[in-house]
């Protein structure tokens, strides 16, 4: 019986290591279910955090997910905290960095400040966009954005709609899209410093600090 109990306890400990709130250096996946807040509450929280409105996109500009030229999916995502929905395939005209994150993702908390800084320093040349992925806690996501200085536009994908198209296997994940709307690279790792992120932007989008 002692051996059985020890085995059960070990299983519980191992499961806890994979919990969304755990501070891990490698990508994480999965999140807790929560009570949906009112739209008005989210809108107020978004305004208080200084998060910018989502970019305007055209439905006519969308491509199908099966496009062979590497274009973004034709999926449409809501703007986190309210605003106009975004047609992913309509994100063109400026090189774009799309970061997938969530309030429950420990490694995401560490790199969000670097993305926030990139938005402040490179925003005139590179569009930074976040997707709150597989996250049932939009209030917590907005609060985390506020705590980490994130003010760039954020999209909501609580049902993991982009998982297949963007080949999401864990968080954080960063997708680099050129000005023509073509995916040129994907990073499935946590950026360790602002220079690390800057190097990735320079390498994949040709935008120098």
């Amino acid at each position: 019986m002692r051996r059985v109990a020890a085995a059960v306890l070990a299983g519980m400990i191992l499961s806890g290591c994979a919990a969304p709130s755990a501070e891990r250096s490698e990508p994480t996946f999965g999140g807790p279910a929560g009570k949906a807040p009112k739209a008005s509450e989210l809108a107020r929280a978004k305004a208080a955090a200084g998060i910018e409105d989502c970019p305007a996109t055209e439905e006519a500009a969308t491509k199908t997910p099966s496009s062979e030229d590497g274009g973004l999916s034709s999926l449409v995502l809501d703007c986190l905290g309210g605003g106009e929905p975004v047609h992913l395939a309509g994100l063109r005209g400026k090189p774009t960095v799309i970061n997938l994150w969530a309030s429950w993702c420990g490694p995401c908390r560490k790199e969000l400040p670097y993305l926030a800084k990139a938005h402040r320093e490179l925003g005139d040349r590179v569009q930074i966009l976040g997707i709150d992925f597989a996250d049932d806690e939009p209030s917590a996501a907005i609060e985390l954005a506020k705590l980490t200085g994130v003010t760039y536009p954020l999209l909501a994908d609580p049902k993991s709609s982009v998982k297949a198209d963007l080949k999401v296997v864990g968080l954080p994940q960063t997708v680099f899209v050129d000005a023509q709307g073509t995916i040129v690279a994907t990073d499935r790792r946590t950026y360790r410093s602002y220079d690390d992120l800057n190097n990735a932007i320079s390498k994949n989008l040709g935008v120098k600090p």
Side-chain angles (χ1 to χ4, degrees):
M1 289 297 291
R2 290 182 178 178
R3 291 181 179 179
V4 173
V8 172
L9 179 59
M12 292 174 65
I13 292 174
L14 288 175
S15 297
C17 290
S21 59
E23 288 293 331
R24 304 169 63 194
S25 59
E26 69 271 18
T28 59
F29 196 82
K35 182 180 179 181
K38 294 181 180 179
S40 58
E41 294 173 348
L42 289 178
R44 286 195 294 271
K46 176 180 178 178
I51 298 171
E52 298 173 10
D53 291 333
C54 290
T57 51
E58 300 268 342
E59 183 175 6
T62 61
K63 301 178 182 180
T64 62
S66 60
S67 176
E68 296 181 357
D69 59 3
L72 281 168
S73 164
S74 59
L75 289 169
V76 179
L77 296 181
D78 288 332
C79 192
L80 183 64
E84 292 298 317
V86 172
H87 298 264
L88 294 184
L91 293 169
R92 304 182 191 179
K94 181 187 289 188
T96 301
V97 175
I98 301 177
N99 178 256
L100 290 96
W101 65 291
S103 63
W104 46 260
C105 169
C108 298
R109 294 171 179 264
K110 297 178 180 179
E111 72 171 15
L112 284 173
Y114 308 140
L115 288 151
K117 185 175 181 179
H119 175 59
R120 292 193 301 270
E121 297 192 356
L122 305 175
D124 58 332
R125 293 177 289 158
V126 178
Q127 178 174 233
I128 309 292
L129 189 68
I131 296 181
D132 185 27
F133 181 83
D135 194 349
D136 290 318
E137 299 286 349
S139 294
I142 291 175
E143 180 63 20
L144 177 57
K146 181 178 180 180
L147 290 173
T148 54
V150 168
T151 58
Y152 51 81
L154 301 172
L155 307 182
D157 186 16
K159 296 183 179 180
S160 309
S161 302
V162 302
K163 182 177 181 179
D165 293 343
L166 297 184
K167 299 178 175 61
V168 184
V169 296
L171 297 184
Q173 175 173 310
T174 304
V175 180
F176 298 87
V177 184
D178 66 17
Q180 289 70 49
T182 300
I183 297 174
V184 295
T186 298
D187 266 351
R188 294 179 176 85
R189 64 188 180 94
T190 306
Y191 295 112
R192 305 294 182 178
S193 66
Y194 181 59
D195 286 341
D196 190 15
L197 172 60
N198 248 333
N199 290 336
I201 293 175
S202 177
K203 173 185 175 182
N204 296 312
L205 297 178
V207 178
K208 306 295 182 181

